[in-house]
Amino acid sequence: MIPGPVDVSDEVLAALAAPILPHYGDDWVETHTQAIAELKAVFQTEADAYLLPGSGSSGLEAAIGSVLRPSERAVVMKNGAFGDRLISIAEARGIDLIVHETEWGKPVDPGEAKRLLGAHQPVAGLITIHNETSTGVVNPIRKIASECRARGVPLIVDGVSSIGGIEMQFDAWDIDVCATASQKALGCAPGLSPVAVGKNAWEVMDAKGPAPSWYLSLQFWRDEAVRRADWHPHPVTMPVNLVLALRVSMQQILAEGLAQRFERHARVAKRLRDGLRGIGFSVLADESAASGTVTTALTPDGVSGPDLQRRLLEKHNIMVAFAHDPIKQNAIRIGHMGVNASEEKVDLVLDVLRGCS
Ligand SMILES: Cc1ncc(COP(=O)(O)O)c(C=O)c1O
């Protein structure tokens, strides 16, 4: 029960074990085309989507490095440990950052987005996280997107632990770029970073010329998808079985129905939060912004988070995750994504925690 990689369905596992296909030719082009169509349905977009081989960070770096260029100014809004990763990626790309930090457990404030974008013009982009996996907080991306659009500032969203488990409507909310990862709420194995790219983002990128990158240039992925559309619609060899497996998990997501799936995640997460409070834990996230995919639980007085994590694993064979500094000593994180977003599984975790704490 960690917040990714998650358990996957038997059908996804079977796809991972399927015979290896070539990554080009008619059959593959058909498979890849279908994969992209399914991905666009999951992102709720008519715009473009790509499957970058790599972990979620590869898609994040592609998004940041393609839209933003060295020495441009950008705003990062963070409220947890994964915000630091966005800062590191942007700094490695030479981007001049204005960092806005919100207290852990609280969502970032769209009013602050408005203020920052007004105060620091010109701003070439705003980078933030949909679901902060360190704190279990969901940020109000729709409202932030509307502040960005009002000022013509592209919005880059880390959707690594939200897409497939928490509602995000890429087109309707007017997001410019969002990167996610296969091993979390998409219910597949690690190794693919799906990225959605909107029309406005392409205009911004193309006005600046080619990004100073090759593998992680979104423009390159777009151009190769067009140039080699009928044979090899991506620049590199694809991890073919991961694409097959992701197709299976996306078909399962779409068969369940996006609304039903988000509701299941939210329902199970609430059951876990209520149960945790009933056995002496507290929940870090404000209830109104609590995540459907991961819960950061503050342990009862005198109970060490890392000790509890180890005891759950050693005695009960249940793995939850360590929390991040500065709350590492008095918290654990419980993932409930994909097949792990089940009443049965969170009840088991609660039963075991009741006996352990
Ligand atoms: C919100 C968020 N962003 C980024 C990452 C990094 O993803 P990856 O380890 O797949 O590169 C994670 C991983 O847990 C995450 O939860």
Side-chain angles (χ1 to χ4, degrees):
M1 298 292 280
I2 62 172
V6 297
D7 294 338
V8 301
S9 68
D10 292 347
E11 295 79 11
V12 169
L13 272 184
L16 290 168
I20 311 299
L21 300 173
H23 64 288
Y24 48 76
D26 290 348
D27 289 350
W28 175 255
V29 167
E30 175 62 18
T31 294
H32 184 263
T33 304
Q34 292 302 328
I36 297 297
E38 287 149 1
L39 185 59
K40 285 165 61 167
V42 171
F43 269 117
Q44 303 191 58
T45 185
E46 299 288 323
D48 294 309
Y50 301 89
L51 284 169
L52 270 57
S55 78
S57 302
S58 66
L60 292 171
E61 181 157 358
I64 292 170
S66 298
V67 176
L68 303 171
R69 303 300 166 81
S71 81
E72 284 185 340
R73 183 186 300 151
V75 170
V76 175
M77 298 189 83
K78 60 163 281 198
N79 52 345
F82 286 100
D84 291 329
R85 176 180 301 237
L86 297 177
I87 292 171
S88 301
I89 293 171
E91 283 179 348
R93 293 273 177 168
I95 295 155
D96 176 20
L97 292 181
I98 294 155
V99 176
H100 180 270
E101 178 152 16
T102 300
E103 188 187 335
W104 284 35
K106 309 225 169 294
V108 302
D109 176 2
E112 282 298 293
K114 178 176 185 174
R115 185 185 66 76
L116 290 162
L117 296 181
H120 297 282
Q121 287 295 336
V123 176
L126 189 149
I127 311 169
T128 195
I129 295 188
H130 189 199
N131 183 67
E132 224 326 325
T133 323
S134 63
T135 58
V137 169
V138 181
N139 285 323
I141 293 301
R142 183 181 203 158
K143 291 185 178 157
I144 294 169
S146 128
E147 296 302 340
C148 287
R149 186 62 65 231
R151 278 157 199 78
V153 172
L155 173 62
I156 299 169
V157 180
D158 172 340
V160 167
S161 60
S162 65
I163 299 300
I166 299 172
E167 171 95 289
M168 176 195 279
Q169 297 178 26
F170 186 87
D171 286 358
W173 295 5
D174 219 349
I175 295 163
D176 292 298
V177 188
C178 176
T180 185
S182 48
Q183 78 274 16
K184 295 192 187 272
L186 287 174
C188 186
L192 282 171
S193 183
V195 184
V197 188
K199 184 166 165 283
N200 181 61
W202 289 130
E203 283 169 12
V204 168
M205 286 181 245
D206 290 339
K208 294 177 187 179
S213 187
W214 191 90
Y215 200 101
L216 295 180
S217 161
L218 293 176
Q219 291 156 296
F220 186 48
W221 276 78
R222 174 196 60 189
D223 295 347
E224 287 294 279
V226 173
R227 191 175 72 85
R228 300 203 274 177
D230 59 353
W231 173 65
H232 186 303
H234 31 70
V236 297
T237 306
M238 294 298 276
V240 284
N241 286 52
L242 279 174
V243 176
L244 296 180
L246 184 64
R247 280 203 66 196
V248 173
S249 62
M250 292 191 298
Q251 285 162 9
Q252 291 176 336
I253 291 170
L254 296 169
E256 180 176 359
L258 288 173
Q260 289 78 359
R261 187 170 170 98
F262 301 145
E263 192 277 325
R264 170 167 63 85
H265 281 72
R267 189 180 68 236
V268 168
K270 172 134 188 356
R271 185 181 181 99
L272 176 64
R273 292 194 302 276
D274 290 346
L276 284 166
R277 293 187 186 107
I279 55 172
F281 288 76
S282 51
V283 172
L284 178 64
D286 279 5
E287 188 59 22
S288 60
S291 167
T293 58
V294 56
T295 298
T296 301
L298 300 172
T299 51
D301 279 351
V303 177
S304 148
D307 282 354
L308 181 58
Q309 194 277 351
R310 275 187 281 272
R311 274 187 286 146
L312 287 179
L313 186 58
E314 283 162 16
K315 286 201 190 151
H316 302 280
N317 202 27
I318 294 177
M319 182 182 270
V320 297
F322 294 113
H324 295 79
D325 282 329
I327 55 166
K328 182 168 181 162
Q329 287 312 316
N330 61 334
I332 54 170
R333 293 179 305 137
I334 302 164
H336 29 85
M337 304 176 188
V339 294
N340 289 351
S342 89
E343 268 94 2
E344 201 187 338
K345 291 199 178 191
V346 299
D347 285 354
L348 179 64
V349 172
L350 286 168
D351 273 354
V352 165
L353 280 176
R354 198 175 287 112
C356 264
S357 53

